[in-house]
Amino acid sequence: MLVGRGSEAQTLSSLPSRSGTIVTKRNAVAQVPGWARFCRQWPKECAIDPSEPATIALTPQVWETLVRINHQVNAAIKPLTDLEHWGVDDRWDFAEDSYGDCEDYQLLKRKRLVAAGLPRRALRMTAVIDEDGAPHAVMMVRTDRGDFILDNKRSAVLPWRETGYVYLQREGDTGSAWVSLGRAIASPVATAGR
């Protein structure tokens, strides 16, 4: 079975190659302000259960779930900046009205993945610099085969090293603190901008 279009279609019958994990720096960093406001509004969505695994065993069923939900949410939401949508510069939300920007896509994906039984602790919101040099939010899925990225700019779920992004910071594994990713650089890839 294939999910996606054209060169971004992904086979669900086989697991991806190992991706490697991104190394976090020891120092905590300030939370993204939009994340802090989101957590005040939706504290349960930001709570980390330390008894949950920090990585997911990437089985064929989990891979299918990641690819399917990434594709479904990307197809269901129309891109719209927070300024156009809400009249503010940065608001993180679930895109329940089918409009949103990058972090809204990722929050809805995470909500659906948690509802499908995946541990929230392994689904980390991540701040990057995209291929155009602009701030962007993606979701990093920490697995036993490495870190994979769910993104609204492409239908394919990619190993972090294949996104072309500069990785700045992500949610930590133990709570609301964010950790530095030290501006880790991934290989450049072509994307359809959204």
Side-chain angles (χ1 to χ4, degrees):
M1 179 179 178
L2 292 177
V3 173
R5 300 183 302 271
S7 64
E8 289 195 349
Q10 286 191 288
T11 302
L12 299 181
S13 60
S14 62
L15 292 174
S17 301
R18 292 194 177 275
S19 105
T21 57
I22 194 166
V23 177
T24 60
K25 305 302 176 194
R26 294 261 179 232
N27 56 318
V29 294
Q31 294 179 358
V32 175
W35 171 256
R37 286 188 295 275
F38 174 79
C39 290
R40 283 192 298 274
Q41 182 178 358
W42 302 99
K44 181 181 168 199
E45 294 295 324
C46 302
I48 299 298
D49 180 352
S51 69
E52 286 185 333
T55 60
I56 300 168
L58 192 59
T59 65
Q61 295 79 19
V62 168
W63 180 246
E64 184 276 331
T65 300
L66 293 173
V67 171
R68 179 177 41 82
I69 288 176
N70 188 62
H71 178 73
Q72 287 173 345
V73 171
N74 285 353
I77 298 174
K78 296 168 193 68
L80 194 64
T81 68
D82 287 333
L83 195 56
E84 295 167 314
H85 193 193
W86 304 108
V88 296
D89 286 331
D90 190 31
R91 176 176 168 176
W92 291 38
D93 213 322
F94 291 116
E96 292 171 334
D97 62 356
S98 300
Y99 292 96
D101 64 0
C102 56
E103 72 275 350
D104 305 326
Y105 284 80
Q106 308 332 315
L107 290 167
L108 183 57
K109 290 173 193 178
R110 187 166 83 162
K111 185 176 183 178
R112 289 185 180 180
L113 289 167
V114 168
L118 298 182
R120 181 179 285 114
R121 186 173 180 210
L123 308 172
R124 310 285 72 209
M125 292 296 293
T126 305
V128 302
I129 300 295
D130 71 10
E131 67 282 352
D132 297 322
H136 183 52
V138 297
M139 186 173 50
M140 181 181 293
V141 180
R142 316 240 26 239
T143 80
D144 61 351
R145 296 178 68 88
D147 298 335
F148 291 86
I149 301 301
L150 279 67
D151 192 356
N152 60 296
K153 291 189 173 199
R154 52 181 65 95
S155 291
V157 176
L158 294 177
W160 77 271
R161 292 182 189 273
E162 295 180 17
T163 61
Y165 297 152
V166 176
Y167 288 79
L168 304 176
Q169 63 190 55
R170 71 164 171 78
E171 288 178 83
D173 292 333
T174 59
S176 60
W178 281 52
V179 294
S180 173
L181 300 175
R183 299 186 67 85
I185 300 174
S187 301
V189 295
T191 65
R194 268 200 251 176

